[in-house]
Amino acid sequence: MYGGRAIDNFDRRILSTYMDEYLGDFIFDTFQPFHFYVNEEVDYKIPELGPRDNYVEEIENLPLANTPEVFGLHTNAEIGYYTQAAKDMWTNMVDLQPQTGGSSTGISRDDYISNIASDIQKKLPAIFELDKLKKKYGVEISPTTVVLLQELERFNKLISVMGKTLAELQRALKGEVGMSNVLDEVSRSLFNGQIPAVWRKLAPDTLKSLGNWMMHFQGRFDQYTTWVNEAEPPVMWLSGLHIPESYLTALVQATCRKNGWPLDRSTLYTNVTKFATAGDVTETAHQGCFVSGLYLEGAAWDMENSCLIRQPPKVLLQPLPILKVIPIEAHRLKLQNTFKTPVYTTSQRRNAMGIGLVFEADLATSEHSSHWVLQGVCLILNSD
């Protein structure tokens, strides 16, 4: 929820779950007292009817700090909160550090930035030749091929901007050209190990540092290269796509064309496979696709029983096994004992406009769905 307002169905689901689980006539049942939360140390309940001192005593007995379990969350939620707070603090401290002088390696700041820029320049691949690819695929192309061409166009633009800004930055550091505001921001980001804003605008949303982002960048290039030179990957690394939801939409379109289904009456459902990694996949998806690169937050996955289970302590994220995404006609979809799980791009989930939500996955569960709603379960495409 953003600003105290419900902006999508998942916000409404959270509010409805809290209302159903914590508010209702059952809290006034005298035969079966309702405990909001109880353990060996504290008992959250409505005090019995009596004088004012009874209520004051109950209030004074409550702890000053509440644990995550009081709100239905896992204890890991507190670890995640403090971890994020520490990251924010360090980010602010890095931004406040002096931007002059030398680095920790003993070389000057300009030389340090120049070395990083040169290293990144060496790793930049050549842009994809879209004109040749369009001639290769011809006029009758599949919806997923259209997505590929759109992805390559965006990736080419990112490569071009990265190469241009790095080359200009090198010249500016040598004094050949003036240091513009854009180049100054790029140099500061490279020095701090962050992604420059001018690059970030052309790349998928991420919270990664510069080093991890470059590994992600190389992984995206490898997947695009395989897709262009060989065939569509049998297991799609979804977080390697700029707009992953467009690929899923293309899957539905392709299946509707093949089977003659009406597009507006078709949808997707998912099934978690027994394959732990992409290399374990030994079959082809005749309809739909296999998807890798998803991380489960707020819960864990039981490989043996193929269902959601509670998180182990101190494990905030768990890689989800290979997910199979299957297009189907909406009226044929009958799911039981599943939890509708939102899939987000990053651990920040989504902003006030709902941007960041990719799709909804169906995960098997033996628990009531309200349990996982209160645990804040979701899937994310990128680990921090």
Side-chain angles (χ1 to χ4, degrees), residues 34 37 49 88 103 125 138 144 163 218 235 238 242 245 257 263 306-307:
F34 178 74
Y37 176 76
L49 185 63
D88 293 340
S103 69
T144 54
Q218 184 61 46
V235 180
L238 208 57
H242 190 101
E245 51 265 43
R257 286 185 186 181
L263 182 60
S306 297
C307 66

Side-chain angles (χ1 to χ4, degrees), residues 12 53 60 91 146 153 170 176 192 199 209 225 242 314-315 362 364 374:
R12 284 189 285 273
D53 292 341
E60 290 180 347
T91 300
V146 173
E153 185 176 354
Q170 294 279 36
E176 297 177 1
N192 294 336
W199 301 357
S209 62
T225 302
H242 190 101
K314 301 181 181 180
V315 180
D362 305 296
L374 297 180

Side-chain angles (χ1 to χ4, degrees), residues 41-309:
E41 300 176 357
V42 65
D43 183 6
Y44 288 86
K45 67 180 188 303
I46 297 178
E48 295 182 1
L49 185 63
R52 170 183 173 275
D53 292 341
N54 287 3
Y55 303 112
V56 173
E57 183 180 358
E58 286 285 347
I59 294 172
E60 290 180 347
N61 289 335
L62 294 176
L64 295 178
N66 294 314
T67 61
E69 293 99 323
V70 175
F71 305 100
L73 294 168
H74 195 279
T75 52
N76 288 345
E78 190 172 33
I79 300 175
Y81 171 79
Y82 286 120
T83 301
Q84 186 59 47
K87 287 182 180 179
D88 293 340
M89 181 183 68
W90 280 111
T91 300
N92 293 332
M93 291 179 67
V94 167
D95 291 338
L96 291 173
Q97 70 177 341
Q99 299 298 318
T100 58
S103 69
S104 59
T105 58
I107 62 176
S108 68
R109 179 179 183 273
D110 288 354
D111 290 341
Y112 180 77
I113 295 172
S114 179
N115 291 340
I116 295 177
S118 299
D119 185 55
I120 295 177
Q121 277 183 308
K122 294 175 183 177
K123 296 178 180 178
L124 286 181
I127 63 174
F128 292 93
E129 298 181 359
L130 292 181
D131 292 336
K132 290 185 178 180
L133 288 176
K134 290 177 180 178
K135 291 181 180 179
K136 171 186 173 182
Y137 293 122
V139 179
E140 298 293 331
I141 58 177
S142 65
T144 54
T145 304
V146 173
V147 172
L148 170 62
L149 295 175
Q150 293 172 346
E151 288 284 327
L152 294 180
E153 185 176 354
R154 297 185 184 95
F155 195 67
N156 281 350
K157 187 178 295 185
L158 174 60
I159 295 174
S160 299
V161 171
M162 289 176 66
K164 181 180 178 181
T165 53
L166 289 173
E168 291 180 351
L169 178 61
Q170 294 279 36
R171 295 182 61 194
L173 292 174
K174 295 176 182 178
E176 297 177 1
V177 296
M179 182 73 76
S180 64
N181 291 334
V182 173
L183 295 181
D184 184 60
E185 193 278 331
V186 172
S187 66
R188 185 169 59 253
S189 297
L190 296 183
F191 185 73
N192 294 336
Q194 300 169 345
I195 307 170
V198 67
W199 301 357
R200 188 183 293 273
K201 290 190 299 184
L202 301 174
D205 193 18
T206 183
L207 301 177
K208 296 180 182 292
S209 62
L210 180 61
N212 291 333
W213 183 79
M214 284 302 301
M215 295 172 60
H216 185 269
F217 175 86
Q218 184 61 46
R220 293 180 64 200
F221 173 74
D222 293 341
Q223 177 166 264
Y224 290 143
T225 302
T226 302
W227 198 346
V228 168
N229 295 334
E230 299 176 15
E232 186 175 333
V235 180
M236 183 62 67
W237 180 43
L238 208 57
S239 57
L241 302 179
H242 190 101
I243 306 180
E245 51 265 43
S246 64
Y247 177 75
L248 299 177
T249 303
L251 285 178
V252 178
Q253 292 175 342
T255 306
C256 289
R257 286 185 186 181
K258 179 180 178 181
N259 299 328
W261 298 345
L263 182 60
D264 59 339
R265 297 180 183 178
S266 301
T267 185
L268 292 169
Y269 80 97
T270 63
N271 178 40
V272 181
T273 68
K274 293 288 188 178
F275 306 121
T277 62
D280 298 334
V281 178
T282 56
E283 60 186 67
T284 57
H286 299 291
Q287 288 190 358
C289 70
F290 292 108
V291 170
S292 66
L294 297 176
Y295 296 89
L296 187 58
E297 184 178 37
W301 186 257
D302 186 349
M303 286 288 289
E304 183 177 352
N305 298 315
S306 297
C307 66
L308 290 171
I309 56 174

